[in-house]
Amino acid sequence: MVFANFDPVTADIDAVQVVKLLIAGGFGVGKTTLVTAVSEITPLRTEERLSELGAAVDDLTGVEGKTTTTVALDFGRITINPQVMLYLFGTPGQDRFWFMWRELSLGALGAVVLADTRRLEDSFAAVDYFESREIPFIVAVNCFAGADIYEADEVRAALDLPSHVPVVFCDVRNRQSAKDVLVHLLEHIATTSPAGRHRTPTP
């Protein structure tokens, strides 16, 4: 694999501080779209077409038009300021690819859990994963056309989130909206994580 011998957290690229972040969430929630929207390089994508074999295990409710799926990871890069560069790793959404999560989460300072209000239950696994590993995260509700609109407190209650976990709303197709999500995550890391307070300046 391209990153087998590469540690994006400790890499020193002309003295720029490199921060590894994860973009997680359920199948079809917009992870690849977010990485693609903000990346300043052509993103690495490991998408494959959905097949009839996968139809028996992939729940397409609410995303019937989806024809591809991430089978390993998405990777993108964005420079927040002259001192901070973000390396973004999008995780696969289906349960059968979860063996990738442990490797992808190594060295990550924080994560975005993307949520779709039509399928909020698909976010539980990601929330539990980051809570159990004490990785700071925020929940970003991707506002799909036609989806019911809820207040942040309603989303928080439905996902049983602690009060300190931010809930934000976004349209990951929009570059500025997707960037704002990352800024919210950096601010959260800076205020809650000891590693973040020492390594991640607020943008």
Side-chain angles (χ1 to χ4, degrees), residues 8 12 22 25-26 30-31 46 49 55 60 66 68 71-72 76 84 101 105 120 142 155-156 180 192 197 201:
D12 182 12
L22 299 184
K31 300 180 296 294
T46 58
R49 292 190 63 81
L60 298 180
K66 188 169 176 59
T68 61
V71 296
V84 180
W101 279 54
S105 64
L120 270 181
N142 193 11
V155 174
R156 184 186 308 283
D180 289 344
T192 62
R197 285 195 294 269

Side-chain angles (χ1 to χ4, degrees), residues 27-104:
F27 176 55
V29 78
K31 300 180 296 294
T32 298
T33 302
L34 188 153
V35 172
T36 301
V38 301
S39 181
E40 61 196 18
I41 62 172
T42 301
L44 169 66
R45 298 166 61 171
T46 58
E47 287 195 315
E48 298 290 342
R49 292 190 63 81
L50 293 172
S51 66
E52 293 183 5
L53 292 175
V57 292
D58 293 332
D59 181 7
L60 298 180
T61 305
V63 288
E64 291 83 0
K66 188 169 176 59
T67 60
T68 61
T69 183
T70 298
V71 296
L73 58 87
D74 298 312
F75 173 76
R77 185 188 76 198
I78 178 173
T79 302
I80 292 294
N81 62 43
Q83 288 77 43
V84 180
M85 180 183 297
L86 307 184
Y87 279 12
L88 308 176
F89 288 79
T91 65
Q94 297 106 308
D95 292 350
R96 68 181 188 274
F97 296 128
W98 267 52
F99 65 91
M100 291 291 302
W101 279 54
R102 181 179 180 278
E103 295 298 324
L104 290 176

Side-chain angles (χ1 to χ4, degrees), residues 5-193:
N5 299 310
F6 180 65
D7 183 357
V9 174
T10 60
D12 182 12
I13 303 177
D14 295 331
V16 174
Q17 186 176 1
V18 177
V19 178
K20 180 180 180 181
L21 302 177
L22 299 184
I23 311 299
F27 176 55
V29 78
K31 300 180 296 294
T32 298
T33 302
L34 188 153
V35 172
T36 301
V38 301
S39 181
E40 61 196 18
I41 62 172
T42 301
L44 169 66
R45 298 166 61 171
T46 58
E47 287 195 315
E48 298 290 342
R49 292 190 63 81
L50 293 172
S51 66
E52 293 183 5
L53 292 175
V57 292
D58 293 332
D59 181 7
L60 298 180
T61 305
V63 288
E64 291 83 0
K66 188 169 176 59
T67 60
T68 61
T69 183
T70 298
V71 296
L73 58 87
D74 298 312
F75 173 76
R77 185 188 76 198
I78 178 173
T79 302
I80 292 294
N81 62 43
Q83 288 77 43
V84 180
M85 180 183 297
L86 307 184
Y87 279 12
L88 308 176
F89 288 79
T91 65
Q94 297 106 308
D95 292 350
R96 68 181 188 274
F97 296 128
W98 267 52
F99 65 91
M100 291 291 302
W101 279 54
R102 181 179 180 278
E103 295 298 324
L104 290 176
S105 64
L106 292 176
L109 283 192
V112 174
V113 176
L114 275 180
D116 178 351
T117 57
R118 301 169 300 177
R119 297 158 54 106
L120 270 181
E121 66 278 5
D122 290 354
S123 303
F124 290 149
V127 168
D128 289 344
Y129 185 89
F130 297 125
E131 283 185 338
S132 66
R133 287 158 179 80
E134 299 184 342
I135 297 175
F137 70 95
I138 69 170
V139 171
V141 178
N142 193 11
C143 298
F144 288 90
D148 291 335
I149 300 173
Y150 297 94
E151 298 293 332
D153 286 345
E154 294 176 295
V155 174
R156 184 186 308 283
L159 293 177
D160 194 24
L161 296 173
S163 59
H164 70 274
V165 176
V167 175
V168 300
F169 296 85
C170 62
D171 178 349
V172 298
R173 299 169 301 177
N174 179 279
R175 177 176 172 82
Q176 186 58 53
S177 181
K179 286 176 64 176
D180 289 344
V181 169
L182 300 178
V183 170
H184 280 292
L185 175 58
L186 290 178
E187 291 174 342
H188 181 57
I189 294 171
T191 58
T192 62
S193 166

